Amino acid sequence: MASLKTVLVTGASKGIGQATADLLAHEGYNVIINFNKSEKEALSLYNKLKNKGLSVRIYKANVSKKNEVKDMIDFCIKEFGTIDILINNAGISQEKLFVDITDEDWDNMINTNLKSVFYCTQEVLKHMISKKRGKIINISSIWGMIGASCEAHYSAAKAGVIGLTKALAKEMGPSNIQINCITPGVIQTGMLDSYNQNELNVLRENTPLMKLGSPKDIANCVLFLVSNRADFITGQVISPNGGFVV
Ligand code: NDP
């Protein structure tokens, strides 16, 4: 069977999403770069890839808004005629004592990190089910597996992504759609900006490979999972984390 070709990467303006969009474009995929607030960074990636003659598009959408997600998927179909692969990567984090989390914090966390996965996945499945092919990768976190102190709402959202992945993999298997979850360890992106050097050193020392991960480490894992080499893998949680969680 021919390779799946067209991929939407949510939250591709920075960090893991940016590295994933960059790698997949260089590997010959048609890539749609989604961003929400970071237009400058998204445009810079888009221009870099386009100037190399690679097949890319860019689309601004807040993935926690149903109507914006629908318009984005319509755009993908209009541009490439299909959407074969969805990478649900967009996310936010927040450190807060559980007793201080407000209703607004909670809703923002769940809507951005979990409801967005529901919206994007439901919308792309409309196209994948009829074709009986497709792959979806959900970016969760080790904290969704083991829980993070002072990040209860983040951990809950990411655990929800793992549960959604497993349930949907069972439901979509007969339609030949593979759905897997990546749970990165500590990865050097802007998401770590709230950590001081001391805290980063402690995280590094607690990682058996003695280093933090790079966005490319996660992009490489995505590349494998979306390829034909991973056709028999579905419903799995794969954790590139340097041995931090074993
Ligand atoms: P960054 O903060 O570097 O990037 C986050 C990306 O998500 C940005 O491109 C941002 O786009 C996008 N985003 C946030 N909210 C929305 C929204 N409402 N709509 C569309 N896009 C949005 O973080 P990372 O690259 O580190 O994180 C990527 C994913 O990896 C997240 O899901 C995160 O939880 C997960 N992860 C990260 C780990 C780490 O250590 N870094 C560890 C485990 C998991 P914009 O700026 O344009 O709004």
Side-chain angles (χ1 to χ4, degrees):
M1 184 188 279
S3 299
L4 302 175
K5 278 294 285 182
T6 299
V7 53
L8 167 64
V9 184
T10 70
S13 50
K14 297 197 285 191
I16 292 169
Q18 185 187 67
T20 300
D22 191 314
L23 180 63
L24 293 179
H26 280 94
E27 291 289 328
Y29 289 85
N30 306 318
V31 174
I32 299 107
I33 297 165
N34 159 250
F35 71 100
N36 185 31
K37 294 180 180 158
S38 304
E39 182 164 20
K40 195 165 131 266
E41 289 84 349
L43 269 174
S44 158
L45 175 66
Y46 171 74
N47 287 326
K48 181 184 100 171
L49 298 174
K50 198 163 183 324
N51 289 340
K52 287 185 174 178
L54 301 175
S55 178
V56 280
R57 302 288 187 277
I58 185 167
Y59 196 90
K60 173 176 163 55
N62 179 342
V63 290
S64 66
K65 305 268 187 237
K66 188 172 183 152
N67 59 332
E68 294 189 28
V69 167
K70 187 181 179 318
D71 290 348
M72 174 166 67
I73 305 302
D74 287 350
F75 171 81
C76 299
I77 301 294
K78 186 167 97 19
E79 291 295 307
F80 292 115
T82 177
I83 177 156
D84 305 310
I85 301 165
L86 167 66
I87 316 295
N88 281 310
N89 164 77
I92 54 167
S93 64
Q94 183 186 43
E95 270 185 88
K96 227 169 181 185
L97 289 174
F98 181 68
V99 292
D100 291 338
I101 293 173
T102 63
D103 286 17
E104 196 190 343
D105 291 332
W106 179 268
D107 289 346
N108 197 22
M109 186 62 69
I110 300 297
N111 290 346
T112 308
N113 288 3
L114 180 57
K115 203 168 190 184
S116 64
V117 179
F118 165 59
Y119 286 151
C120 293
T121 302
Q122 203 173 50
E123 206 53 48
V124 300
L125 280 176
K126 289 177 190 166
H127 301 278
M128 290 177 177
I129 290 170
S130 58
K131 292 197 164 155
K132 278 201 160 256
R133 61 193 292 229
K135 291 193 198 288
I136 298 173
I137 312 296
N138 296 325
I139 307 296
S140 171
S141 166
I142 49 167
W143 307 124
M145 301 165 72
I146 61 170
S149 173
C150 298
E151 293 191 68
H153 51 348
Y154 181 78
S155 303
K158 292 300 189 181
V161 171
I162 293 172
L164 175 60
T165 303
K166 291 181 179 182
L168 207 54
K170 291 181 179 175
E171 191 172 326
M172 290 300 144
S175 296
N176 189 36
I177 296 164
Q178 293 88 9
I179 306 173
N180 290 293
C181 192
I182 295 176
T183 53
V186 185
I187 309 297
Q188 281 181 304
T189 71
M191 201 165 262
L192 301 191
D193 283 351
S194 61
Y195 291 90
N196 63 36
Q197 206 46 53
N198 214 22
E199 290 168 321
L200 290 176
N201 286 341
V202 170
L203 288 166
R204 196 174 288 115
E205 282 158 16
N206 283 304
T207 304
L209 287 180
M210 300 298 288
K211 59 180 181 180
L212 303 181
S214 71
K216 186 85 184 282
D217 290 324
I218 307 307
N220 283 330
C221 188
V222 173
L223 178 64
F224 167 66
L225 284 175
V226 302
S227 75
N228 289 351
R229 293 174 194 270
D231 277 353
F232 197 52
I233 301 177
T234 197
Q236 301 305 305
V237 178
I238 295 172
S239 191
N241 63 45
F244 192 86
V245 178
V246 290

